[in-house]
Amino acid sequence: MAISKEVYKVFESIVGDYYVSNDPVICESYRSGPGGYENGTGYERVMTTIPGCVIMPRTTEEVQKIVKVCYKNDIPYVPYSTGFYGPKSHPHVEDALLIDLKRMNDFYLDEKHYYVEVGPGMIYSPIQEEAMRHGAYVVIGGGGAQASAIANLIGDGWSPLSHRIGLPHRRILGTELVLPDGELLKLGSLANSDDPFWGECPGPDLRGILRGYTGVRGCLGIVTRMAIKTLPFQPERLQPTGISPNTVLAFPEKRVKWINYVVPSKEAQVKAMYEIGKAEIGGAVTKVPLFWRSIAKAEDKEHFWEMWGKENEKTVANFFIVRVLLIGYTSEEQLEYDEAVLADIMSEVGGEARPTKPSDESWIKNADSAGMWLMCGDYVSVDYVIETLSQATEHGPTYAELKKKYTPPLMPDYGDPGWFQSFELGHQGYSEFLIYWDHDDDTDPVDQFYLDTSIMNINHRFYTSLLGPHQPMYLTGPQYGPNYHEYFLKVKDEFDPKWMSHPPVPLAHDVLIERSPWLKKMKYWETPDDLPK
Amino acid sequence: MDSKNEGKQRYYKPRAEVALDIEDMENFVYDMSRCIKCKGCTWVDHTYMPGAKFMTRCPSATMYEYDAYGAYGKMRIAHGMAEGKVEWNDKALEIMYACTLCGACDVGCKRNLDLEVELTLESIRVKAVKDGVGPLPAHKKIAENVKKTGNMFGSSKKRTEWIPADAKPADKADVLYFVGCTASYTNHEIAQSTAKIFKAAKVNYMLLKDESCCGNAIFSSGMVDEAREIAKKNVEAMKKSGAKKLVTACAEGYRMWKVDYPKLLNIATADLGFEVLHLVEFVDELVKNGSLKMKKEFNTRMVYHDACSLSRLSEPWTPWEGKRGWMGCVEPRLKRRRGTNGVYEQPRDILKAIPGVDLVSLPRERENAYCCGAGRGTKEAFPEFAKWNANHRLEEIRDAGAETLVTACPMCKNNFAQNVKENGNDMQVMDISEVICSAIES
């Protein structure tokens, strides 16, 4: 149902005339595709549409009022912070209201208690700059420097720096959530004062409803304010250097240092990561896909393919690197000590240090995610797992094997098993598998691969991020729990009985399967007849 | 890369012909379709991100806030137009024209993705004109003025009125000073300072016979046919003059001569037959080779504002056409213009060489500089936009504690000066030619 003139006027009275628009050109600019994360896939083409109207609130109170009007008038709505990460943050039904949160970009830094407080419009790179200026730092999650920190933290929110800083759910402190019907829920210490310094709630920790393994994509309301834990960094400035596109942060060399080691085997990689964690050294410990190195070195797309075209299954299979970021958090002597310990560990596993630039261009203030689109034009992280270091690294090769069936149109990567790294000082391991393609090719196999990985995980009993609203819940839910999906749907019904907050999430993937013949032919599981159409 | 020889593992993909030709928006549909909405076009490069204040570099997205006004929004709208899904309306025209084409988006995108954003935006305006909806009335008026009077203001005054009694340009010289409309009619101080600098450095210079407008606003608003005629006429006159170097103190005129005339004439900058220099490049060389001494003190805390057309938009032009194939790769190899080699250091070197000048940095500078909001015909069509953005930039400049704001573009100078005056601020706004001149005068 299109938004009536009367309701439109109410919206105007909430945010002012300028900040609400149903102009078709304004609405078109909020289209998810044709490019970007997961765009060009079936999910984008089948499940997304342009909004019927866009509104830009400035305050939590305005968000509440907007949502209440939506609830009263049966207007589906979608919260939208930066819109970077693909179709899942865009409307899935006609005539939806897109609530653009970019004006809610308040920022407050509490130097003494090591946290920052932000609105959903605030992105990562300014947060990191402000934090570092005050001797602290945060993780810029894989979403990158330009991602909304709140959206990223309730979605994913990790990077190689999670080796030291830890996982995102530990860094979410006091949080405000406007529930789907407009009621305000305050989490953590915000529950009894206006001080967001602490994340734990009296009673159940309700932060869990926001993210779990990964986020719920706006289907349980809108986070309007969040305090994020920062941790102490070293005090010297990382100096911005160079002119675009070759810009880097130059290190104070006695305080911060990346060292790349080549090791003889995957076992050596895992052992090195484990030992580094056990020794409690390092700010980041990671192994990235070989082609990321080519991206970093490439002058342009054509140069990338020139370089990558020289690789083959053998060179990829024999490439074992461990990339370690050392930080002298407390002193130059600490870095010296950590480097000596690292050298011992590497000597034990047969690692050889390679010349490494005294600068960072990828992780500390960025997470160079936008570069992922350079070589093909399209990209998605298919899946990720958090396990023990030894188990996490088992997943990548299974994805690589399955991927062969879908290459092309997927980018030839010669069996690269993806990215893995240490989290929380080696207590946990992380593996992520990414795929790349060009959406001018036939993208049906891309969708099929995505679904097939989920089926593969069920068969292997792997426990991965796909349990969230990223795959058909009637496929994954009965396999894990066995009533994970029912539990989630009960939560959804309880908080959002009218399903106004970003419908049909969390069942969007189930709906996608029904609407997409190239996926439906893979379906072997049951779904209820009353699935949203 | 030859996709036919990639082996059976890859799809063969028929190649599509493509050219860096803004007269056909279809050339840029690939770029539009690969925009990932990372908004690197809008935010300051993460490396240089100054903190929670002054985070953006796109004047349109910063002021208007809706996604439509960022390059990522414009690309989506234009893509919808290319697919026949979106029609022009007043809002679409405002979105496409309330933008200084300052190039911040282009540089930002090419930090990672190499999409041709600037050319896409230019081509959208060409389409607007071809579709009969553009340009805007203010641009039509400028075109009319130029046609009638040879200058963008429609002034009937003599173009050479600025020439002081003690300055006499030569009839023939290796150096030709292209004055431009603004310095000829509204900002004589720039032209006169430039003439004094030439004199101090003992540089013999000539003027273009019957100089007229460079066509900046005409080209920038998408009237390419009219702009091409101006380009042809001016280039021909320059060649006829016999001068080897064209020097201008106008950043926008500089960009027209160096980049957009070659673009319009489908030739490389190197094939113009003469060198195009901004005054700062010319003076920088004079200072460094000792031909120009700047000895007089200028005690001030100064900031330098990078004019877009002199900095990130000023890399030379080379025509390119080829084919796009597998994974979007193009051949022959395209050397992309990313703003890396813009004129950034020369003005700074000049200012630092002046005794007493305390040149301080701005949070957003060089390729991340925030446009003043006036250029490329924008102020004429959207005065409020120019005002808002000048004030936004002035806030940053005031935060730096500047007493003197220097730029190398008359549009920037006027826009800043007007707003400084309106705000009752005591900051002095100067063109770099005036600063140089003040340091060489005895």
Side-chain angles (χ1 to χ4, degrees):
Chain A
M1 185 175 69
I3 293 167
S4 68
K5 282 180 185 169
E6 291 72 23
V7 171
Y8 191 89
K9 279 191 180 303
V10 177
F11 286 146
E12 284 181 326
S13 72
I14 296 169
V15 294
D17 295 359
Y18 181 75
Y19 288 112
V20 57
S21 175
N22 58 7
D23 186 287
V25 176
I26 293 280
C27 292
E28 181 71 24
S29 71
Y30 284 88
R31 180 178 291 284
S32 176
Y37 190 79
E38 220 178 337
N39 285 324
T41 62
Y43 194 93
E44 185 253 325
R45 287 180 286 113
V46 174
M47 293 304 297
T48 70
T49 182
I50 63 166
C53 186
V54 178
I55 194 163
M56 300 178 75
R58 177 71 188 90
T59 64
T60 298
E61 292 70 29
E62 287 178 4
V63 173
Q64 283 185 270
K65 286 178 188 170
I66 292 163
V67 165
K68 282 178 182 170
V69 172
C70 288
Y71 228 72
K72 188 178 170 195
N73 294 282
D74 292 341
I75 297 166
Y77 63 87
V78 183
Y80 175 99
S81 47
T82 63
F84 181 11
Y85 257 61
K88 292 195 175 82
S89 59
H90 292 73
H92 291 14
V93 294
E94 296 298 327
D95 297 318
L97 177 72
L98 185 144
I99 306 177
D100 182 345
L101 303 163
K102 70 162 76 74
R103 292 176 68 218
M104 300 180 70
N105 60 356
D106 290 338
F107 176 84
Y108 169 76
L109 180 141
D110 189 319
E111 187 175 0
K112 189 176 169 190
H113 300 101
Y114 281 93
Y115 69 82
V116 293
E117 193 185 330
V118 298
M122 179 53 77
I123 61 165
Y124 268 126
S125 56
I127 296 174
Q128 187 72 308
E129 175 66 23
E130 297 281 358
M132 288 200 297
R133 208 180 281 162
H134 294 87
Y137 75 134
V138 292
V139 162
I140 293 188
Q146 300 107 321
S148 156
I150 287 182
N152 189 250
L153 278 167
I154 62 178
D156 303 300
W158 41 70
S159 94
L161 273 69
S162 300
H163 167 73
R164 170 72 58 171
I165 281 192
L167 291 169
H169 61 279
R170 304 195 205 287
R171 289 181 285 113
I172 297 175
L173 305 177
T175 297
E176 270 182 6
L177 171 67
V178 175
L179 293 173
D181 63 357
E183 192 181 345
L184 185 63
L185 176 62
K186 293 185 175 185
L187 312 180
S189 57
L190 280 175
N192 65 345
S193 75
D194 199 42
D195 188 344
F197 76 102
W198 191 242
E200 306 298 326
C201 275
D205 186 348
L206 291 170
R207 286 173 298 181
I209 67 164
L210 290 174
R211 48 165 299 127
Y213 206 131
T214 61
V216 293
R217 307 297 173 205
C219 80
L220 289 179
I222 304 173
V223 177
T224 54
R225 179 184 176 196
M226 180 186 284
I228 303 165
K229 186 70 186 163
T230 65
L231 289 169
F233 194 49
Q234 58 78 43
E236 291 185 34
R237 176 131 177 95
L238 275 55
Q239 189 64 41
T241 310
I243 291 187
S244 188
N246 302 309
T247 57
V248 298
L249 291 174
F251 286 154
E253 291 187 48
K254 292 182 177 174
R255 281 289 198 162
V256 190
K257 188 178 277 190
W258 274 111
I259 310 180
N260 294 336
Y261 283 92
V262 173
V263 298
S265 65
K266 184 172 164 184
E267 291 68 32
Q269 276 178 317
V270 172
K271 183 169 170 52
M273 288 185 185
Y274 177 73
E275 293 296 334
I276 289 166
K278 194 174 160 192
E280 298 190 357
I281 61 166
V285 184
T286 186
K287 172 266 164 187
V288 298
L290 181 56
F291 53 83
W292 286 15
R293 286 211 315 180
S294 298
I295 296 173
K297 288 179 183 172
E299 286 170 20
D300 52 32
K301 180 192 283 250
E302 292 76 21
H303 188 208
F304 167 84
W305 284 106
E306 255 175 46
M307 284 192 285
W308 186 242
K310 289 175 186 157
E311 303 291 348
N312 55 50
E313 292 207 0
K314 200 173 167 188
T315 58
V316 169
N318 291 321
F319 173 74
F320 304 105
I321 194 166
V322 178
R323 192 162 153 72
V324 185
L325 178 69
L326 293 176
I327 302 171
Y329 290 96
T330 56
S331 62
E332 292 178 2
E333 289 74 17
Q334 188 208 334
L335 187 128
E336 277 177 34
Y337 169 81
D338 287 3
E339 193 168 359
V341 173
L342 178 63
D344 283 351
I345 292 168
M346 286 302 178
S347 162
E348 209 174 289
V349 301
E352 280 180 31
R354 293 292 163 92
T356 313
K357 289 179 188 167
S359 59
D360 180 81
E361 58 189 89
S362 55
W363 287 118
I364 295 178
K365 206 175 164 188
N366 185 18
D368 202 356
S369 54
M372 294 293 101
W373 279 268
L374 173 74
M375 61 276 196
C376 301
D378 293 275
Y379 140 68
V380 67
S381 286
V382 179
D383 204 357
Y384 20 88
V385 293
I386 300 173
E387 277 242 18
T388 60
L389 264 170
S390 57
Q391 291 302 303
T393 50
E394 295 301 310
H395 296 80
T398 64
Y399 287 86
E401 188 57 35
L402 182 64
K403 187 186 162 188
K404 287 178 185 168
K405 187 176 152 191
Y406 296 98
T407 305
L410 298 181
M411 168 190 152
D413 62 7
Y414 313 117
D416 193 296
W419 165 22
F420 72 86
Q421 64 169 68
S422 152
F423 274 172
E424 308 203 316
L425 295 173
H427 290 285
Q428 294 172 79
Y430 175 73
S431 170
E432 179 169 338
F433 196 79
L434 312 98
I435 55 170
Y436 308 82
W437 71 98
D438 178 352
H439 71 236
D440 283 349
D441 284 334
D442 174 11
T443 60
D444 291 354
V446 179
D447 298 332
Q448 290 164 341
F449 174 71
Y450 207 168
L451 180 59
D452 220 358
T453 58
S454 199
I455 295 167
M456 174 184 78
N457 285 335
I458 290 166
N459 291 337
H460 289 180
R461 302 303 299 157
F462 287 157
Y463 184 77
T464 76
S465 66
L466 296 185
L467 302 180
H470 303 258
Q471 287 286 350
M473 286 184 57
Y474 281 95
L475 164 64
T476 59
Q479 303 298 326
Y480 295 89
N483 57 350
Y484 160 79
H485 59 306
E486 288 167 359
Y487 165 76
F488 193 170
L489 294 173
K490 279 178 188 169
V491 173
K492 172 71 177 170
D493 284 338
E494 189 62 35
F495 281 85
D496 185 9
K498 293 168 88 173
W499 280 56
M500 288 295 126
S501 188
H502 203 1
V505 178
L507 289 175
H509 277 275
D510 298 83
V511 176
L512 169 70
I513 302 290
E514 297 304 315
R515 291 182 185 171
S516 311
W518 62 96
L519 291 173
K520 196 163 183 181
K521 70 183 181 188
M522 295 170 72
K523 185 182 168 194
Y524 61 85
W525 60 96
E526 297 293 320
T527 45
D529 294 338
D530 61 349
L531 200 65
K533 291 294 180 283
Chain B
M1 186 176 58
D2 187 350
S3 59
K4 285 178 187 167
N5 298 323
E6 289 304 322
K8 61 182 177 182
Q9 202 182 15
R10 297 180 183 179
Y11 278 162
Y12 168 72
K13 187 159 178 192
R15 295 169 181 206
E17 293 191 355
V18 61
L20 296 186
D21 176 6
I22 60 168
E23 293 188 45
D24 183 359
M25 197 178 77
E26 285 294 320
N27 282 313
F28 305 102
V29 167
Y30 176 86
D31 302 87
M32 296 172 198
S33 72
R34 263 52 178 191
C35 167
I36 62 171
K37 220 190 254 197
C38 70
K39 305 188 182 178
C41 51
T42 299
W43 304 110
V44 171
D45 179 341
H46 56 271
T47 311
Y48 285 94
M49 176 59 81
K53 213 172 171 189
F54 309 123
M55 299 182 288
T56 56
R57 56 178 153 188
C58 169
S60 307
T62 306
M63 177 177 158
Y64 292 107
E65 302 183 90
Y66 281 106
D67 272 14
Y69 294 87
Y72 50 98
K74 291 175 186 140
M75 304 266 267
R76 276 168 176 72
I77 294 164
H79 191 269
M81 287 178 174
E83 286 190 324
K85 290 180 187 166
V86 180
E87 304 273 326
W88 286 106
N89 66 9
D90 288 347
K91 183 56 79 178
L93 274 177
E94 181 201 80
I95 289 163
M96 298 307 177
Y97 279 102
C99 159
T100 48
L101 298 174
C102 72
C105 50
D106 195 67
V107 170
C109 186
K110 287 171 178 166
R111 170 67 173 72
N112 282 311
L113 287 185
D114 271 345
L115 304 181
E116 293 293 347
V117 182
E118 179 77 3
L119 296 177
T120 302
L121 300 184
E122 287 180 352
S123 77
I124 295 169
R125 294 190 183 183
V126 176
K127 176 178 163 57
V129 172
K130 282 186 178 171
D131 290 350
V133 294
L136 301 181
H139 303 132
K140 286 180 185 162
K141 176 70 180 156
I142 293 172
E144 211 177 289
N145 288 343
V146 173
K147 200 172 177 184
K148 280 185 188 161
T149 64
N151 67 80
M152 64 180 287
F153 307 110
S155 172
S156 55
K157 287 184 182 169
K158 211 173 153 195
R159 196 171 177 98
T160 51
E161 242 178 35
W162 65 271
I163 302 175
D166 62 343
K168 188 166 171 23
D171 292 332
K172 280 279 175 194
D174 283 349
V175 173
L176 184 144
Y177 171 39
F178 182 81
V179 189
C181 293
T182 315
S184 297
Y185 291 95
T186 63
N187 291 70
H188 286 180
E189 76 283 1
I190 294 175
Q192 289 165 353
S193 297
T194 304
K196 283 178 188 168
I197 295 165
F198 286 141
K199 190 177 175 187
K202 299 186 174 53
V203 172
N204 208 19
Y205 69 96
M206 64 183 291
L207 300 176
L208 202 58
K209 190 170 179 288
D210 301 325
E211 180 187 301
S212 62
C213 178
C214 70
N216 173 41
I218 293 169
F219 168 76
S220 299
S221 61
M223 292 183 271
V224 280
D225 292 337
E226 294 84 345
R228 186 178 299 102
E229 288 311 307
I230 293 171
K232 274 184 195 166
K233 188 181 143 212
N234 277 342
V235 170
E236 205 172 296
M238 176 62 195
K239 283 182 175 170
K240 211 170 162 186
S241 76
K244 291 173 184 158
K245 287 182 182 177
L246 181 142
V247 178
T248 181
C250 174
E252 304 226 319
Y254 172 71
R255 192 204 70 249
M256 284 302 292
W257 280 93
K258 187 176 172 186
V259 182
D260 295 323
Y261 285 178
K263 193 188 289 175
L264 285 161
L265 301 174
N266 201 28
I267 57 170
T269 301
D271 295 332
L272 273 171
F274 51 88
E275 199 178 353
V276 180
L277 294 168
H278 189 277
L279 180 69
V280 295
E281 296 173 285
F282 191 72
V283 168
D284 183 53
E285 204 179 317
L286 293 174
V287 171
K288 284 173 182 164
N289 70 21
S291 306
L292 188 69
K293 313 276 185 207
M294 299 188 296
K295 290 185 174 172
K296 192 177 171 194
E297 279 196 5
F298 188 3
N299 290 304
T300 187
R301 186 174 167 86
M302 180 185 280
V303 295
Y304 174 72
H305 165 83
D306 289 277
C308 313
S309 289
L310 178 60
S311 53
R312 56 195 166 213
L313 290 174
S314 73
E315 288 177 325
W317 177 260
T318 307
W320 181 90
E321 58 183 285
K323 292 188 174 179
R324 190 183 300 282
W326 188 74
M327 293 296 183
C329 291
V330 295
E331 58 181 36
R333 193 74 173 266
L334 169 61
K335 188 171 164 44
R336 292 166 171 94
R337 296 170 70 247
R338 300 182 173 117
T340 314
N341 301 305
V343 180
Y344 301 112
E345 295 312 316
Q346 295 92 328
R348 290 177 168 82
D349 287 350
I350 292 168
L351 297 172
K352 281 188 275 189
I354 297 173
V357 166
D358 175 17
L359 186 67
V360 293
S361 296
L362 289 169
R364 296 173 291 188
E365 58 180 17
R366 294 183 172 80
E367 77 273 28
N368 290 303
Y370 192 88
C371 171
C372 79
R376 307 195 70 169
T378 314
K379 186 172 182 177
E380 288 77 6
F382 297 95
E384 286 307 311
F385 173 85
K387 183 185 173 75
W388 191 93
N389 281 297
N391 281 320
H392 177 77
R393 181 66 158 165
L394 284 168
E395 188 189 341
E396 181 183 0
I397 290 164
R398 277 195 299 273
D399 274 12
E403 296 162 337
T404 306
L405 161 60
V406 177
T407 183
C409 170
M411 310 281 179
C412 300
K413 183 192 169 183
N414 289 345
N415 196 29
F416 284 131
Q418 185 186 335
N419 286 286
V420 164
K421 193 176 170 189
E422 282 177 19
N423 299 340
N425 196 289
D426 61 357
M427 186 191 300
Q428 74 181 319
V429 183
M430 298 178 79
D431 185 81
I432 197 163
S433 60
E434 298 173 88
V435 179
I436 298 164
C437 201
S438 72
I440 58 176
E441 279 181 338
S442 57

